[in-house]
Each structure stands twice: as structure tokens, then as C-alpha cells.
Amino acid sequence: MLSDFKLAPSILSADFSDLRGALKICDEGGADWIHVDVMDNQFVPNLTIGPPVVKSLRNVTDKFIDVHMMVVDPEKLVEPFARAGADNITFHIEATNDPNEVIDLIRSTGKMVGISLKPSTPFSVIAPYIEKVDLILVMSVEPGFGGQGFIKESNERITKIKKYLSDNCLERIQIQVDGGIKLHNAQEVISAGGDILVAGSEVFGAQDPVGVIREFYNNANTNVS
Ligand code: DX5
Ligand code: ZN
């Protein structure tokens, strides 16, 4: 049996002067999704990518574009990212007073809906909304920067969320895990219940990024019984 986890390389750690090259790496390695980290220098202390860049990516790839919005007032950016060609749009629960409005807006664009929480935000804060989403993005570092260390308590948290989903017949909701994921800890995250793994610096900081992407899949399949 093959493991059915998905890998979503984060282009935050790629060479921004060569995003076409980053897409080629993802293609050659066989990555499932392209993870795009959107930061507004308000919700997090960093500033990155907006809709025009997503539009340019969309023009040159058929891959699933996964937009992770780390921005205040996320409702203002939903339609621009949808029009630019995002396939999934994730927002942070901490960034809005009206999560239902953001969810309904994303849904109205026909895109997949993701909800995310920081490491310090209790799961109970998102619980009332999860029936309406397609994925839960569990941050395993403080959002804002690539290259940080995986917060080890995250695995326990993922397992609890997975159990909550199965206890409530919500197995259709996928768990995405983002931050500090490396070849050496990916298997633990998958075993804990992670369905979609984001990896930035491990892929794009490598000498052989295509080889690293392939190794994520090979390791997962070797460890599945
Ligand atoms: C952090 C971002 C992550 C980041 C992950 O706020 O959401 O997607 O790119 O990078 P690594 O894999 O290097 O921790
Ligand atoms: Zn991210």
C-alpha cells in the first residue's frame, strides 16, 4: 500500500528571482501542491507574496496552488487570490472577528477552504467552524518565517485533532501541518495524523531539492505496512 500523504513545498524558501525554476523542481520531484505563504507585515512581521505573483504562477503551472494567508482582514484578499488562480485558500482564525464570513466568502469562489491556528491557539477556538472547512492547517512553528524548529508538542495536538475528526464523522477534513518539517521528522507527523505536509527550507535549502522531494515520498512509502 502506498502512503497517501501530500507534500506541499513552500516557495517561501525558494529563490524569488527564479520562481519558474521552483515550479520545475516541484514538477520533477512529483510534489502534490505548491504552498504559497502570504504575509502582510501586520499579522506576522514579514512581507511576501500577493495575488499578482500567484497569477504569474498560475500561468505556468497546472499544479494545485495552496495559498496560506497570514494577513489581517483576510476577507479583503479572498477574491483577489481566487481570481489569481489559487485552488485552496487558508486563513488564520486569529486574524478575523468573523470566521463564518471568511469561510462563506472563500466557499462562494468555489475554492477549497482552509482554517489555520497558531501553536498557542487552542483547538476549541476553531472547533465551531470546522464542519464548514476542507482542511485544518496546524502551525508547528510561529508563523512568519521559514527555517524554524518544529514545536514537538505539535504531534500530540495533531493526534487529538485527528481523533476529534473521527469521533465526529469529519474524516473528510484534511490536516495540514506547516513549519519545521524535515525528512527526519516527516514520518512522525504522518503517523500523528498529518495528511498534507508543508516543507520549505528542507526542500529549497537543499543541494538537490528534487531528490529531497522524492525522498519524502520514498520514506513515507517505505514506512507504510
Ligand atoms: C511559516 C510558513 C511556512 C514556512 C515553512 O510562517 O507558513 O510555510 O515556509 O518553512 P520551513 O519548512 O522552513 O519551516
Ligand atoms: Zn505556510
Side-chain angles (χ1 to χ4, degrees), residues 36-212:
V36 178
D37 286 305
V38 175
M39 305 186 187
D40 66 349
N41 198 31
Q42 290 190 70
F43 183 69
V44 290
N46 199 356
L47 185 63
T48 58
I49 292 170
V53 175
V54 169
K55 189 171 177 209
S56 296
L57 297 173
R58 180 77 294 159
N59 287 338
V60 294
T61 186
D62 293 328
K63 277 210 189 292
F64 188 101
I65 298 181
D66 171 33
V67 168
H68 176 194
M69 295 195 296
M70 287 160 274
V71 303
V72 298
D73 302 331
E75 60 284 347
K76 292 184 183 160
L77 284 170
V78 168
E79 278 164 353
F81 277 115
R83 275 197 304 273
D87 295 297
N88 174 73
I89 302 179
T90 294
F91 71 99
H92 268 265
I93 189 77
E94 306 88 354
T96 177
N97 293 321
D98 195 346
N100 279 315
E101 183 198 1
V102 184
I103 292 169
D104 293 346
L105 192 55
I106 301 172
R107 190 64 76 200
S108 75
T109 66
K111 309 299 182 178
M112 264 180 70
V113 182
I115 191 167
S116 183
L117 72 177
K118 293 182 185 183
S120 55
T121 302
F123 174 70
S124 57
V125 177
I126 64 163
Y129 308 103
I130 59 172
E131 279 191 33
K132 294 175 69 178
V133 308
D134 301 301
L135 76 80
I136 298 171
L137 195 178
V138 177
M139 289 303 304
S140 41
V141 298
E142 276 307 316
F145 299 93
Q148 304 179 73
F150 184 83
I151 296 172
K152 63 177 188 323
E153 291 78 15
S154 307
N155 282 332
E156 200 182 318
R157 174 171 233 212
I158 294 159
T159 301
K160 280 191 184 147
I161 297 175
K162 194 79 174 176
K163 180 169 187 318
Y164 180 96
L165 294 178
S166 84
D167 288 350
N168 291 279
C169 300
L170 293 170
E171 290 97 338
R172 63 172 181 81
I173 300 171
Q174 302 180 73
I175 300 179
Q176 182 176 39
V177 188
D178 184 5
I181 295 189
K182 310 280 176 193
L183 283 167
H184 75 79
N185 62 12
Q187 206 46 50
E188 288 161 35
V189 178
I190 294 169
S191 303
D195 301 300
I196 307 155
L197 270 51
V198 176
S201 51
E202 184 76 332
V203 171
F204 292 106
Q207 293 280 358
D208 174 16
V210 171
V212 170

